[in-house]
Amino acid sequence: MKNTATGDEPTPHGSPAPEAKKHRKSPNAFAILFCLIVAVALLSWFVPGGAYDLDSTGHAMAGTYHTVSATPQGIWDVVMAPMTGMVGNDKITGAISISLFIFVFGSFLEMMNSSGCIKKALKLLAVKNEKNVHVLIWILVFIMSFLGTVEGAYDEDIIYIILFLPIFLSLGADSILACMIVIMGTQIGCLASVIDPFAVGIASGIAGISMGEGIGWRALIFVVMTALVAIMCCRYSDFIIAHPEKSSQWFRREEDVKEFPVSAGDDLTMSQGEKRALIAFVVMLVIMVVGLIPWTSINPSWTFFDDLAKGIASNGVAATLIGSDVAPLGAWSFNELSMLLAVMTFVAGFLLHYSVSKSMKIFLDGAAGLVAPAFIVPAARGIQVVMDNGQITPTILHFGETTLATLPPWLFVLVALVFYFAFALLIPSSSGLAAATMSIMSGLAAFANIPVYLMIIIYCMGLGLAKLITPTSVAVMTVAAAAHVDYGVWVKRIIPYLGILFLVCCAILEVMLLFI
């Protein structure tokens, strides 16, 4: 389960922890955020206050900045900022709905983990397709990427590497190929983050937009980048299978084969309950995606879901049984998504024949596992609370407006991508990076006449690229340690692929600008 907010590395459920080398941990996100709140409070004593004229939607208008009296923030303001960030005030929307969504998402993932159905399905797919290496690679890369883009697969990567190592070693490939499929697959999924609540969800909440904005572009990026990774993995497998002695892991191949033998005794039979729970998982994801896509914004004539909601509200019986204020699919926000996840968690428990008490325990355990990411959001809002109360947000934005935001859009997006890649090398936590940067970067995007959702895409790209290589990446360090691949060897192998992926991301951003 995802828990990158604090830099901790919990052992995945049902998987023994391998003996791993000591490595640098990610900076604690809460320590970073508290230091940022204090730093911003200190700035409020020295930075001039400022303000922008607002348009009819409440957004600042470029070129209207003017100075006002600053309001220096004190100790009380600092310690109250995260509390205000959670519940909100007349200026800032509270983060409670986003935090609740993260809690309930954790509950749903815990229910799926408890059944083991996803693990069995993956192993079954791998075994059935092991005769055709290319087909197997394409299937596994897309599944890994899918898990990365919908749940931010990260800490649980170690489960997948243990599943895949025996299969690819038996096919004549090496442990690096298995690492590529797991690490590159899941992190490219994070790079796209179609509906990842820990990346695009938190970033969208901080930026004040819906998760649905830009979802079409993110889906396209998911397909393009995942296909590219699959091609890379296939080319590498062809080379290594033809020339196994050229693998950097050749020196320990015999040892690897002995340590990770193909097991013929695993029971991969899925019960009817597990199959139905897996179907429930897919159904939930489909409903979530459909609920987030702004249908009427894409095409004003696509009003089916709006008409359906109005029909329910206007029908006395339906309005009484279902409700008179049903939100149409396409207009869902965090509250509706939390409801969906909560319902589907207990539906999955019912399909698995769990008792109500067991389902409730799983629900609470899953939510407890995501306390840290859930509390990241109000802490991040605390920074904005201090900045706004100190009246220095407009001044900082004005500095960006006169520097970065003055760059032409084609250059601005590239500079922003480099910025996020560099920051993500130090802060690979999706929630932590969004918390530390998004409130300012989303404002700069608006001044540069770039949609805020594009800045979120840039943030996801920089984060996904950095987590392929940074030593503070849990995925890289735990997977490499489990496969006995030295970190330096991994870096040497991944650098050329990273360069290609970076250039493709730049090209995608430039193409997007042509259509926005």
Side-chain angles (χ1 to χ4, degrees):
M1 181 178 295
K2 182 131 178 142
N3 188 23
T4 62
T6 62
D8 297 333
E9 300 172 19
T11 302
H13 299 294
S15 174
E19 183 178 350
K21 299 177 182 179
K22 291 184 177 180
H23 59 273
R24 294 170 55 197
K25 288 189 175 183
S26 306
N28 185 284
F30 290 102
I32 292 173
L33 290 175
F34 182 75
C35 290
L36 286 174
I37 291 174
V38 173
V40 169
L42 291 174
L43 283 177
S44 69
W45 288 76
F46 304 101
V47 175
Y52 277 95
D53 294 337
L54 306 180
D55 59 20
S56 58
T57 62
H59 294 122
M61 294 188 292
T64 63
Y65 172 81
H66 53 278
T67 59
V68 298
S69 299
T71 308
Q73 301 291 286
I75 296 175
W76 176 266
D77 303 303
V78 168
V79 296
M80 276 297 296
M83 315 307 157
T84 304
M86 175 63 88
V87 300
N89 57 22
D90 57 343
K91 296 180 180 179
I92 295 177
T93 304
I96 184 66
S97 61
I98 306 174
S99 297
L100 177 62
F101 171 64
I102 293 172
F103 279 131
V104 183
F105 199 97
S107 299
F108 182 77
L109 292 182
E110 184 71 11
M111 180 64 74
M112 301 310 299
N113 286 335
S114 72
S115 71
C117 60
I118 295 179
K119 179 180 177 181
K120 283 186 178 181
L122 280 173
K123 187 68 177 289
L124 192 61
L125 280 170
V127 171
K128 284 188 174 182
N129 294 278
E130 63 182 354
K131 300 300 181 182
N132 192 323
V133 179
H134 282 194
V135 172
L136 178 60
I137 288 173
W138 274 81
I139 290 174
L140 294 182
V141 168
F142 264 87
I143 291 176
M144 291 294 97
S145 185
F146 177 77
L147 293 174
T149 208
V150 301
E151 62 169 87
Y154 196 64
D155 295 331
E156 61 268 37
D157 279 7
I158 193 172
I159 297 176
Y160 309 134
I161 192 65
I162 293 172
L163 283 176
F164 300 157
L165 272 171
I167 295 170
F168 285 101
L169 289 172
S170 69
L171 294 175
D174 62 1
S175 52
I176 289 182
L177 175 61
C179 290
M180 288 173 63
I181 292 171
V182 174
I183 297 175
M184 294 179 70
T186 55
Q187 302 318 306
I188 283 300
C190 293
L191 180 150
S193 286
V194 179
I195 54 173
D196 178 6
F198 308 102
V200 70
I202 291 177
S204 297
I206 293 173
I209 65 173
S210 165
M211 279 179 64
E213 294 191 40
I215 192 171
W217 283 108
R218 296 197 301 272
L220 180 61
I221 292 169
F222 168 81
V223 173
V224 171
M225 299 301 286
T226 304
L228 179 59
V229 168
I231 292 171
M232 290 175 173
C233 291
C234 286
R235 289 178 62 85
Y236 178 77
S237 71
D238 291 344
F239 175 77
I240 289 301
I241 292 175
H243 308 282
E245 73 284 355
K246 294 187 177 182
S247 168
S248 56
Q249 296 298 102
W250 174 250
F251 72 97
R252 58 167 293 122
R253 177 170 176 76
E254 291 185 6
E255 187 177 347
D256 283 339
V257 171
K258 290 179 181 179
E259 183 176 350
F260 303 104
V262 175
S263 175
D266 289 346
D267 182 12
L268 300 179
T269 304
M270 296 182 67
S271 67
Q272 288 299 317
E274 289 171 338
K275 291 179 180 177
R276 290 166 182 163
L278 197 59
I279 292 173
F281 176 71
V282 175
V283 170
M284 185 280 298
L285 292 175
V286 171
I287 296 174
M288 180 182 288
V289 171
V290 174
L292 287 172
I293 296 176
W295 299 103
T296 54
S297 297
I298 298 174
N299 189 329
S301 63
W302 292 352
T303 60
F304 173 78
F305 296 119
D306 288 340
D307 294 339
L308 180 62
K310 291 176 183 177
I312 293 174
S314 61
N315 185 292
V317 177
T320 301
L321 291 177
I322 301 175
S324 58
D325 57 350
V326 176
L329 290 170
W332 280 21
S333 62
F334 289 107
N335 291 340
E336 289 78 20
L337 294 176
S338 298
M339 174 274 298
L340 171 67
L341 288 166
V343 170
M344 294 305 292
T345 299
F346 287 100
V347 167
F350 174 78
L351 296 174
L352 291 164
H353 305 294
Y354 291 168
S355 65
V356 174
S357 59
K358 182 175 181 179
S359 293
M360 181 56 71
K361 183 179 185 304
I362 291 173
F363 185 92
L364 296 176
D365 288 345
L370 290 182
V371 168
F375 281 166
I376 280 287
V377 188
R381 288 283 172 87
I383 299 173
Q384 194 64 51
V385 169
V386 172
M387 290 175 62
D388 286 356
N389 289 344
Q391 300 192 80
I392 63 173
T393 301
T395 304
I396 295 174
L397 288 177
H398 178 62
F399 174 77
E401 181 188 4
T402 57
T403 53
L404 280 180
T406 59
L407 297 174
W410 70 267
L411 182 57
F412 176 84
V413 295
L414 300 182
V415 172
L417 179 59
V418 173
F419 164 83
Y420 267 115
F421 177 78
F423 264 69
L425 291 174
L426 302 174
I427 312 175
S429 162
S430 54
S431 51
L433 184 63
T437 63
M438 190 50 65
S439 59
I440 293 296
M441 295 302 288
S442 61
L444 290 182
F447 283 131
N449 293 319
I450 290 174
V452 174
Y453 71 75
L454 180 54
M455 181 57 70
I456 293 176
I457 288 175
I458 293 171
Y459 143 79
C460 291
M461 283 181 169
L463 182 65
L465 292 171
K467 288 197 295 185
L468 292 174
I469 195 171
T470 177
T472 56
S473 169
V474 177
V476 169
M477 303 310 291
T478 58
V479 170
H484 303 295
V485 175
D486 185 76
Y487 173 70
V489 172
W490 171 254
V491 170
K492 183 179 179 181
R493 172 54 57 191
I494 203 67
I495 279 290
Y497 297 128
L498 179 65
I500 295 172
L501 292 171
F502 183 85
L503 292 176
V504 172
C505 284
C506 292
I508 289 173
L509 292 175
E510 297 303 330
V511 170
M512 288 180 65
L513 288 176
L514 297 177
F515 293 93
I516 293 176

